[in-house]
């Protein structure tokens, strides 16, 4: 390959997503991994930073 490839990562509430793009912005490949969300009552929701990082690593692989 002679053209550069760009990696984009998006972390949202429910998942981490990764995409590979060419220089024109065309998506070449993508992957998604879910992120756990723990709820304690009506007003409390928590996520694990370790789980988020694991999802990012898995999606980029």
């Amino acid at each position: 390959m002679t053209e550069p490839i760009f990696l984009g990562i998006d972390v949202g509430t429910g998942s981490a997503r990764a995409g590979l793009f060419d220089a024109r912005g065309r998506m070449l490949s993508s992957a998604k991994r879910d992120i756990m969300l723990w709820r304690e009552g009506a007003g409390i929701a928590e996520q694990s930073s370790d789980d988020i990082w694991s999802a990012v690593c898995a999606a980029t692989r």
Side-chain angles (χ1 to χ4, degrees):
M1 284 188 151
T2 58
E3 290 188 35
I5 302 292
F6 300 91
L7 171 64
I9 298 171
D10 177 48
V11 178
T13 303
S15 66
R17 295 161 297 280
L20 291 176
F21 301 86
D22 66 14
R24 292 176 292 235
R26 184 177 54 211
M27 183 181 287
L28 305 174
S29 182
S30 66
K32 173 187 162 193
R33 295 296 182 271
D34 291 336
I35 296 172
M36 295 291 298
L37 181 66
W38 291 272
R39 295 187 186 271
E40 294 183 28
I44 299 174
E46 293 183 358
Q47 291 179 303
S48 162
S49 56
D50 287 338
D51 188 45
I52 293 168
W53 182 244
S54 292
V56 169
C57 291
T60 57
R61 271 189 223 113

